[in-house]
Amino acid sequence: DKKSAKEAVERFVARLPKGKEFGYGPLFDCCLIDACCVRGVFPMSIFPCGNLTVFAPKLHQERCVLDLQTFSVSKSNKKRSKAYTVTFHTHMEQILEAVARHKGENWMCKPLRKCFTYMWRHPHLYETKFTCIAIWDTDGNLVASEAGYSVGSIYTSLTGTTEESGAGSVQLSVLGVFLSTYGFTHWDFGMHLPYKESLGASKTPRSVWLSLVKCHRTQVPAVPYSKFAPEPIPCHGVLTFGVGVKKGDVAVQNDEDQKIAKLEKKRLKREKAAEWRRSHPDVVADRNLSRVERR
């Protein structure tokens, strides 16, 4: 039950020797996974021999964590995003199957995937909220995806896959905008890898990570998970305008709003240019003279 799972995880965290990271147990249980996530412990599995799978929660010595206040989207990803659409919080089974096909039965074994899917389907039963994001090409093919979970205002990337060059970068950008829009404060990438650092994430020691989780696990963002529809929406619209305008029950920017926003952006740009010309009359005069001479 939840009480015994909580006590077991708290004992594990308190007794884990310095330099060690793993615990081991035969049980794959949703309450145990929830207790791990809520206390900053990453749920995973290992294959000690043959086809035998063991639940192996991991408390990293270092996590790679991004403060979402520093998150930004590159121009190249905005440009690249025009070729893709995105769905939020749908197709969890398809995403986990794609990961298993791509990576094989690794740390996320079948019993663990079943638990993740059950917790995604029944979020009201657990403090940990599982979610997912999928990127689709113009033909409706799944080209990048990720499954993850949130505890309070901290989102943790679980696993993902990409089938097309560039699609993974777009997926990370769209997810970052999504998290920022709904008030998440930190993005936990798990173990350190160079590409994560390039996104702005930094190494966070175990003690700091545990304090961070304890501080933020009660700050739950109001994400309307139940209102996200399975129909894809343009990635470029999300990266350009955010995820805050609704069309029906889906957070998107409709075509009319996009046109208005573009016109407003052009107007502001013209005003800024006119103001600069007024404040730099000598430079403007020199430029006009140069044009005349070239003619």
Side-chain angles (χ1 to χ4, degrees):
D1 60 5
K2 289 187 177 183
K3 184 180 178 182
S4 58
K6 173 186 172 182
E7 291 172 350
V9 175
E10 287 180 345
R11 282 197 304 271
F12 165 67
V13 173
R15 297 177 183 179
L16 188 65
K18 188 176 180 180
K20 301 293 183 181
E21 295 183 321
F22 285 98
Y24 304 98
L27 185 65
F28 289 91
D29 176 75
C30 292
C31 289
L32 187 57
I33 291 170
D34 186 37
C36 284
C37 297
V38 169
R39 286 156 188 83
V41 180
F42 191 81
M44 58 183 296
S45 61
I46 61 169
F47 291 79
C49 59
N51 293 323
L52 176 66
T53 54
V54 174
F55 183 54
K58 183 177 182 181
L59 185 55
H60 295 70
Q61 295 189 63
E62 284 184 333
R63 303 285 287 184
C64 200
V65 181
L66 171 66
D67 183 339
L68 282 163
Q69 288 185 341
T70 66
F71 177 79
S72 62
V73 178
S74 68
K75 289 183 179 179
S76 60
N77 277 339
K78 276 188 180 180
K79 185 177 181 181
R80 196 181 287 130
S81 69
K82 294 178 181 179
Y84 303 110
T85 55
V86 59
T87 52
F88 296 106
H89 201 63
T90 58
H91 307 92
M92 176 66 91
E93 295 98 330
Q94 186 176 350
I95 289 169
L96 294 181
E97 285 173 9
V99 172
R101 259 194 330 270
H102 192 263
K103 299 182 178 181
E105 291 288 326
N106 54 6
W107 67 265
M108 193 176 64
C109 64
K110 190 173 182 178
L112 202 55
R113 294 199 298 274
K114 284 185 176 181
C115 288
F116 292 162
T117 303
Y118 183 87
M119 295 173 76
W120 169 72
R121 287 187 178 279
H122 303 88
H124 59 286
L125 298 177
Y126 308 100
E127 290 182 67
T128 307
K129 309 302 178 187
F130 279 79
T131 189
C132 54
I133 178 174
I135 303 295
W136 312 85
D137 66 12
T138 52
D139 295 323
N141 299 311
L142 181 65
V143 291
S145 59
E146 177 176 318
Y149 63 84
S150 62
V151 172
S153 63
I154 299 176
Y155 170 82
T156 295
S157 291
L158 264 176
T159 188
T161 184
T162 180
E163 303 290 342
E164 186 174 297
S165 177
S169 296
V170 172
Q171 179 253 303
L172 290 170
S173 293
V174 172
L175 179 54
V177 170
F178 174 89
L179 297 173
S180 299
T181 298
Y182 285 107
F184 287 89
T185 57
H186 295 84
W187 186 350
D188 167 35
F189 287 95
M191 64 182 291
H192 175 265
L193 288 172
Y195 87 87
K196 299 174 182 179
E197 206 167 76
S198 70
L199 294 169
S202 58
K203 295 179 182 178
T204 304
R206 179 186 289 174
S207 58
V208 177
W209 165 247
L210 291 175
S211 298
L212 197 67
V213 172
K214 189 175 182 180
C215 176
H216 290 277
R217 66 188 176 197
T218 57
Q219 302 172 14
V220 183
V223 184
Y225 288 121
S226 62
K227 293 187 177 182
F228 289 110
E231 293 79 18
I233 59 176
C235 289
H236 188 257
V238 174
L239 296 186
T240 305
F241 303 105
V243 201
V245 178
K246 290 185 178 180
K247 182 178 181 181
D249 281 334
V250 187
V252 300
Q253 188 86 19
N254 63 41
D255 294 338
E256 193 60 33
D257 288 332
Q258 288 188 22
K259 290 176 183 176
I260 293 171
K262 283 182 179 179
L263 290 172
E264 179 65 11
K265 190 174 181 180
K266 287 180 179 178
R267 185 186 68 79
L268 292 172
K269 190 175 180 179
R270 286 195 300 270
E271 285 185 359
K272 189 175 180 180
E275 184 180 347
W276 186 90
R277 285 194 296 270
R278 285 193 297 270
S279 60
H280 299 81
D282 296 338
V283 178
V284 173
D286 289 342
R287 286 181 177 177
N288 291 336
L289 182 60
S290 297
R291 289 195 188 102
V292 171
E293 289 174 350
R294 283 199 298 271
R295 289 174 186 171

